[in-house]
Amino acid sequence: MTACIAFGHRIGYLRRQKGFSQEELAERANLSREFISMIENNKTRLGVDSLVNIANSLGVSADDILVDCLEHSASTADSELHRLLLDCNETEEFILTQMAKVLKEILSAQGI
């Protein structure tokens, strides 16, 4: 996946994380389900208004959606761990997140 193509997949991932169907996201963002599908499959580009509506509907920043497209992003979404989680199913994400929490506790206890 090249830069700026991942944002459609990221929107789909974030939508599923919120438990929204494409129809629900479309309704919340005042867009059509077909348009959401085209965005998630990288078959269309979206304007700023649509991007903002989608970000607001998902409760994330536009920066979180466009992180791969921005040269100067302050978002933590551009971490290797975040990119790994984007490619996980719900069970894999849960297990990896729990493991990361435990490892962080261990590191903190060691003063690292």
Side-chain angles (χ1 to χ4, degrees):
M1 215 176 308
T2 61
C4 286
I5 298 213
F7 83 95
H9 295 286
R10 188 170 297 107
I11 289 170
Y13 169 79
L14 293 167
R15 173 183 58 76
R16 289 185 298 277
Q17 289 299 107
K18 293 289 183 180
F20 297 162
S21 66
Q22 286 183 342
E23 292 84 7
E24 289 171 305
L25 177 57
E27 185 176 315
R28 290 171 181 265
N30 199 29
L31 301 166
S32 72
R33 191 218 46 90
E34 293 79 11
F35 189 61
I36 296 295
S37 176
M38 290 174 64
I39 292 166
E40 290 183 7
N41 289 298
N42 300 304
K43 298 200 183 287
T44 191
R45 295 179 185 252
L46 66 156
V48 173
D49 289 343
S50 296
L51 174 63
V52 169
N53 288 347
I54 290 170
N56 285 335
S57 297
L58 293 171
V60 300
S61 73
D63 187 53
D64 287 335
I65 293 172
L66 294 173
V67 67
D68 294 341
C69 301
L70 303 173
E71 290 181 24
H72 305 287
S73 173
S75 174
T76 58
D78 194 26
S79 70
E80 187 173 350
L81 183 57
H82 185 267
R83 287 189 300 274
L84 173 69
L85 291 173
L86 284 175
D87 192 38
C88 291
N89 64 39
E90 288 181 34
T91 302
E92 293 168 333
E93 180 186 353
F94 176 79
I95 292 168
L96 290 172
T97 300
Q98 295 305 311
M99 290 175 64
K101 287 178 182 178
V102 169
L103 287 172
K104 177 139 177 56
E105 289 175 11
I106 292 169
L107 291 173
S108 292
Q110 296 295 318
I112 299 174

